[in-house]
């Protein structure tokens, strides 16, 4: 049976992905912390946020266990003891349900009933002033996401500018390689491998045109498998790519290919990676008129194989 001839109607494609995710979850009942971190990194969720989520879930489980213990005490106690336990259980739930994540009650966040109505609900709070840093440079090449969509710019000074991929058409229509630009955005951690900036505004210094970050107006479409192909690439390291925290997550080699890999792989390269290193990579990716990007399934640096397997971490 030739699977390449099977066509899946786009109307049912979301259901196929959803069911596949559900079936995969049923087969994989637990995940290592590294796997969770890796999945979060793909959607730019910082590791500290993952850790915070784990701690909150564990705290929630402890509170649920405590409630069950109190309920059991109520059911097994009699007379005054049961009444005291019931009162304590009710008080605990009342406080817990009224508490915000910061530990304050919801009442503390409500406007004072003594204030005039116009000051309570009718006037929205004042927006905070825009914050960020301005950078300048000349565009060396486009940066791509694994689907081959332009999601940023590499400047000739090594700065890596990230921009939402849903605005790729507007970006490439206004900015081309060799264009001088001004970038306003949030700078990431600066390392010897480079620095990422999450752009809020990109200005073409030659035309004065400005593109401002906007949220998507439609839900993102699932990736089309036909856009991917398997290929290999080799060359010398021209620019190491980093995330917002300075973690290495890719490299651009001398033929312009973007080679991407998970952050845990970058941890191995932090002490051994250098400009001019000979890179050999195999994997799957996308080629289009904006460049080519490869998700590595095999990688070597200066002839030395680099392990792509994540380290198993047990969460207590």
């Amino acid at each position: 049976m030739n699977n390449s001839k099977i066509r899946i109607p786009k109307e049912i494609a979301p259901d196929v992905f959803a069911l596949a995710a559900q079936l995969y979850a049923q087969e994989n009942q637990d995940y290592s912390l590294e796997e969770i971190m890796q999945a979060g990194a793909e959607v730019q969720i910082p590791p500290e946020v993952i850790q915070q989520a784990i701690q909150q879930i564990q705290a929630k489980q402890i509170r649920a266990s405590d409630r069950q213990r109190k309920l059991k005490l109520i059911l097994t106690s009699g007379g005054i003891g049961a009444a005291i336990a019931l009162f304590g259980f009710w008080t605990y739930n009342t406080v817990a349900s009224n508490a915000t994540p910061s530990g304050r009650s919801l009442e503390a966040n409500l406007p004072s009933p003594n204030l005039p109505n116009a000051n309570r609900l009718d006037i929205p709070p004042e927006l905070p002033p825009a914050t960020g840093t301005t950078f300048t440079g000349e565009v060396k090449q486009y940066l791509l996401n694994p689907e081959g969509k332009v999601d940023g710019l590499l400047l000739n000074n090594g700065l890596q500018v990230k921009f939402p991929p849903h605005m790729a058409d507007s970006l490439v229509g206004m900015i081309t390689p060799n264009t001088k630009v001004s970038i306003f955005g949030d700078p990431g951690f600066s390392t010897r491998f480079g620095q990422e900036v999450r752009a809020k505004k990109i200005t073409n210094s030659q035309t004065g045109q400005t593109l401002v970050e906007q949220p998507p107006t439609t839900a993102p479409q699932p990736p089309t498998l036909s856009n991917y192909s398997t290929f290999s690439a080799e060359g010398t390291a021209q620019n190491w790519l980093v995330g917002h925290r300075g973690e290495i997550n890719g490299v651009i080699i001398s033929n312009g290919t973007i080679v991407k890999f998970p952050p845990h792989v970058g941890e191995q390269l932090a002490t051994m990676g250098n400009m001019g290193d000979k890179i050999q990579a195999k994997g799957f990716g996308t080629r289009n008129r904006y460049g080519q990007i490869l998700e590595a399934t095999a990688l070597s640096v200066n002839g030395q194989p680099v392990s792509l397997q994540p380290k198993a971490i047990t969460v207590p």
Side-chain angles (χ1 to χ4, degrees), residues 115-132:
L115 293 177
N117 288 338
N119 292 332
R120 289 167 58 191
L121 298 176
D122 299 334
I123 299 179
E126 183 179 354
L127 294 176
T131 58

Side-chain angles (χ1 to χ4, degrees), residues 53 68 123 148 154 157 176 191 194 211 266 274 286:
Q68 291 177 353
I123 299 179
L154 174 67
N157 56 13
T176 59
T191 73
L211 188 61
N274 292 287
T286 306

Side-chain angles (χ1 to χ4, degrees), residues 21 24-26 28-36 313 315:
Y24 181 80
Q26 291 174 352
N28 298 271
Q29 297 299 319
D30 55 71
Y31 305 90
S32 69
L33 180 58
E34 187 65 30
E35 290 171 330
I36 295 293
I313 298 179
V315 179

Side-chain angles (χ1 to χ4, degrees), residues 18-273:
L19 181 57
Q22 181 180 355
L23 294 174
Y24 181 80
Q26 291 174 352
E27 294 179 0
N28 298 271
Q29 297 299 319
D30 55 71
Y31 305 90
S32 69
L33 180 58
E34 187 65 30
E35 290 171 330
I36 295 293
M37 293 292 190
Q38 181 178 345
E42 294 296 328
V43 290
Q44 299 184 340
I45 301 178
E48 56 268 22
V49 176
I50 297 291
Q51 291 281 10
Q52 183 180 2
I54 292 174
Q55 292 172 359
Q56 290 185 5
I57 290 174
Q58 290 176 334
K60 183 178 179 181
Q61 291 174 337
I62 292 173
R63 289 195 299 268
S65 176
D66 193 38
R67 286 196 295 268
Q68 291 177 353
R69 182 181 61 80
K70 287 182 171 64
L71 180 59
K72 183 177 180 181
L73 177 61
I74 292 172
L75 296 177
T76 57
S77 301
I80 297 176
I84 294 175
L86 179 59
F87 178 79
F89 181 67
W90 174 84
T91 303
Y92 175 87
N93 279 334
T94 300
V95 173
S97 62
N98 288 333
T100 63
S102 63
R104 296 178 299 172
S105 69
L106 290 176
E107 293 177 354
N109 295 322
L110 294 176
S112 170
N114 297 323
L115 293 177
N117 288 338
N119 292 332
R120 289 167 58 191
L121 298 176
D122 299 334
I123 299 179
E126 183 179 354
L127 294 176
T131 58
T133 305
T134 299
F135 301 86
T136 59
E138 184 175 302
V139 177
K140 185 175 182 180
Q141 74 173 78
Y142 293 124
L143 298 178
L144 310 178
N145 70 4
E147 299 174 43
K149 294 182 179 180
V150 175
D151 70 346
L153 307 167
L154 174 67
L155 305 189
N156 59 356
N157 56 13
L159 201 67
Q160 299 158 33
V161 181
K162 302 298 288 185
F163 208 62
H166 69 268
M167 300 186 68
D169 291 342
S170 299
L171 181 62
V172 300
M174 190 185 82
I175 303 293
T176 59
N178 303 317
T179 299
K180 293 182 178 180
V181 294
S182 174
I183 308 296
F184 177 79
D186 296 325
F189 190 74
S190 179
T191 73
R192 72 181 182 92
F193 298 101
Q195 182 180 20
E196 180 193 85
V197 174
R198 293 177 180 172
K200 297 179 179 179
K201 183 170 62 176
I202 299 178
T203 300
N204 185 322
S205 300
Q206 297 164 215
T207 65
Q209 291 178 289
T210 296
L211 188 61
V212 179
E213 177 191 11
Q214 299 290 339
T217 56
T218 59
Q221 297 296 316
T224 303
L225 297 179
S226 60
N227 290 345
Y228 295 93
S229 61
T230 58
F231 61 94
S232 60
E234 64 177 89
T236 56
Q238 302 297 300
N239 291 91
W240 291 94
L241 301 177
V242 298
H244 208 62
R245 301 178 309 281
E247 72 279 11
I248 306 173
N249 57 26
V251 62
I252 299 178
I253 59 177
S254 49
N255 66 358
T257 300
I258 300 171
V259 179
K260 297 288 286 184
F261 42 75
H264 72 268
V265 177
E267 293 176 3
Q268 304 176 55
L269 299 174
T271 57
M272 60 181 287

